[in-house]
Amino acid sequence: MENITVTEGENRTLKCNVSGIPTPSVTWTEVKTGIRSTGITRQLIRINRNQSGEYKCEASNSCGYDTTSTFLIVQCK
């Protein structure tokens, strides 16, 4: 994934493209806080500078596990 640059106050959807049989389960983790959510997308609403940092997408099924990260760069208004 590529890094994402936003301006404070914007909304952004992070999306993890996964495929596999059986269908993988997907978890997003905000690395700095440890906050986790499930699903291929992570909605970020009214982004503030405290949300900048690494976001990790983890996909797993009975055949294996993979992970990738993106960095959210938040610019001040």
Side-chain angles (χ1 to χ4, degrees):
M1 282 192 249
E2 294 184 19
N3 294 340
I4 300 166
T5 302
V6 298
T7 301
E8 276 189 302
E10 291 182 350
N11 301 329
R12 190 58 52 109
T13 300
L14 306 180
K15 184 174 182 181
C16 192
N17 295 314
V18 299
S19 62
I21 298 173
T23 302
S25 62
V26 179
T27 303
W28 279 98
T29 304
E30 183 179 351
V31 174
K32 180 173 32 178
T33 63
I35 295 172
R36 298 169 63 95
S37 63
T38 57
I40 61 170
T41 60
R42 170 83 183 252
Q43 299 287 331
L44 301 173
I45 308 298
R46 292 183 300 281
I47 296 168
N48 67 60
R49 65 189 81 175
N50 296 328
Q51 291 173 286
S52 64
E54 182 180 7
Y55 287 78
K56 186 187 306 184
C57 174
E58 303 168 274
S60 64
N61 64 15
S62 58
C63 296
Y65 167 88
D66 199 9
T67 184
T68 188
S69 294
T70 187
F71 285 85
L72 181 70
I73 301 158
V74 181
Q75 298 177 335
C76 299
K77 273 189 169 180

